[in-house]
Amino acid sequence: MKFGYVILYVPSVPATLAFYEAAFGFQRKFMTPEEDYAELVSGETTLAFASVTLGNSNFSRGFTTSQADQAPFGVEMAFTTEQIEADFQRAIDAGATVYEPLQQKPWGQQVGYLRDLNGFLIELCTPMG
């Protein structure tokens, strides 16, 4: 078995895709003609976005959507970078909001937390030694 995808259900797939391209430098892999599903080139595990409408058609029992004005889910995506300060600022400039500022951890890693335009929690951190 292999961990293949993380799919975030969002109100606007095109807006979310544009945000992740600008904020984190990911490249677009593809988007459906209906603009209800898209994937980014993000490493071994694919980061994808699907519309809330598509999610509602997949899940007969419904689901909870992320809301930027509410506390985030107890789940995060973590992106590693060697240029943490510049990349943290680039994400803010692209519309991310700071949830926790950059901090040096006792084990030497630098870590900060952001929220994307949909309210999802993102950790930006330096690689572990």
Side-chain angles (χ1 to χ4, degrees), residues 86-98:
D87 287 339
F88 200 79
Q89 187 60 51
R90 178 174 70 176
I92 294 165
D93 293 345
T97 57
V98 176

Side-chain angles (χ1 to χ4, degrees), residues 103-124:
Q103 300 175 21
Q104 189 75 30
K105 296 296 185 177
W107 52 88
Q109 189 179 36
Q110 198 170 5
V111 176
Y113 297 90
L114 302 161
R115 292 190 73 187
D116 77 358
L117 71 162
N118 303 297
F120 290 104
L121 194 56
I122 300 164
E123 174 183 332
L124 222 55

Side-chain angles (χ1 to χ4, degrees), residues 30-99:
F30 83 95
M31 181 165 44
T32 62
E34 300 81 15
E35 298 185 339
D36 62 353
Y37 180 82
E39 295 180 357
L40 292 172
V41 176
S42 57
E44 191 169 328
T45 302
T46 299
L47 178 56
F49 309 101
S51 69
V52 170
T53 301
L54 182 59
N56 284 327
S57 73
N58 289 338
F59 308 122
S60 62
R61 296 171 46 173
F63 63 100
T64 302
T65 59
S66 179
Q67 302 290 324
D69 61 346
Q70 296 177 8
F73 297 132
V75 175
E76 68 180 64
M77 294 178 294
F79 304 141
T80 60
T81 178
E82 298 284 351
Q83 298 84 32
I84 187 103
E85 292 89 2
D87 287 339
F88 200 79
Q89 187 60 51
R90 178 174 70 176
I92 294 165
D93 293 345
T97 57
V98 176
Y99 195 67

